[in-house]
Amino acid sequence: MRKWNAILTAAIMTLFVVHGVLGALNMFDIAVIIAKTISYTMVMLIAVHTVLSVILTVQSVKVWKRTGAPYLKENRLFWSRRISGFALMLLIPFHMFSFGATVDGVYSLYYFSGSKLFASILFVLCLAVHIIANVKPMLISFGVRKLKPRAGDILFFLSILLVIAVAAFIVYFIRWNTL
């Protein structure tokens, strides 16, 4: 089950990169590229990833209860993964529905307020924590031997994408509030 979760994680990361780049291009007003299929596929994979992660968490908690040794201090990274994932589950629906909706076949944008900007930046920060905490375990699941260079490259690339996402949200907010 852990291997399947790692495969899902890699697929989600790949789709996230595409979604992030296309979303940034839209928010920077460079190109309007709507990729609903990518977004909906990513949401479905995230839902499966969430179910598998909950199952694995329950299994871990059962072992801790049986042995009486939760090692909470030593498992901070484990809990940061779970807490950041839970926060993302709360913020993903907000992200999905904060930009607009289709009514009678016409897509209408919603006003992008300061609270939406704040929530969007919080979403990116939670995503950053979740990615940072999970890259090494994902690579271990794939049997990668030299973790530091590979994990460093992935984290560097995704960090750049996350910074671009925050910048895109800020530019989008400024565009909405100066029109």
Side-chain angles (χ1 to χ4, degrees):
M1 187 171 351
R2 291 184 192 283
K3 185 73 163 187
W4 284 109
N5 213 12
I7 292 168
L8 279 173
T9 302
I12 292 166
M13 280 187 173
T14 303
L15 292 173
F16 165 70
V17 168
V18 174
H19 177 74
V21 169
L22 295 179
L25 289 173
N26 283 333
M27 286 194 234
F28 284 132
D29 202 24
I30 295 172
V32 178
I33 304 166
I34 307 300
K36 280 186 178 181
T37 306
I38 291 169
S39 301
Y40 291 140
T41 302
M42 189 166 53
V43 167
M44 288 187 314
L45 292 178
I46 289 169
V48 175
H49 173 68
T50 301
V51 169
L52 290 177
S53 296
V54 167
I55 291 169
L56 291 169
T57 301
V58 168
Q59 288 174 352
S60 295
V61 170
K62 283 181 180 178
V63 168
W64 295 346
K65 283 186 175 187
R66 190 178 67 236
T67 62
Y71 299 110
L72 295 176
K73 196 172 189 181
E74 291 79 4
N75 286 314
R76 286 182 295 219
L77 189 58
F78 173 85
W79 286 111
S80 69
R81 290 182 197 126
R82 284 1 185 226
I83 293 167
S84 63
F86 179 74
L88 286 171
M89 289 301 99
L90 297 176
L91 291 167
I92 284 173
F94 171 81
H95 177 71
M96 289 172 58
F97 302 114
S98 66
F99 295 101
T102 302
V103 178
D104 296 327
V106 177
Y107 188 77
S108 299
L109 291 174
Y110 298 143
Y111 174 68
F112 198 73
S113 63
S115 60
K116 287 183 180 181
L117 175 64
F118 175 76
S120 297
I121 292 172
L122 181 63
F123 177 63
V124 173
L125 291 174
C126 287
L127 191 56
V129 170
H130 198 66
I131 289 170
I132 290 167
N134 282 294
V135 165
K136 282 186 180 180
M138 181 190 69
L139 292 174
I140 290 168
S141 294
F142 286 124
V144 174
R145 294 197 187 278
K146 294 182 180 180
L147 289 177
K148 276 200 174 183
R150 299 236 196 311
D153 292 345
I154 291 170
L155 289 173
F156 178 73
F157 178 73
L158 290 176
S159 295
I160 290 172
L161 182 60
L162 291 170
V163 168
I164 290 170
V166 168
F169 284 128
I170 292 169
V171 167
Y172 188 69
F173 172 77
I174 291 169
R175 286 180 51 226
W176 260 105
N177 290 284
T178 57
L179 291 176

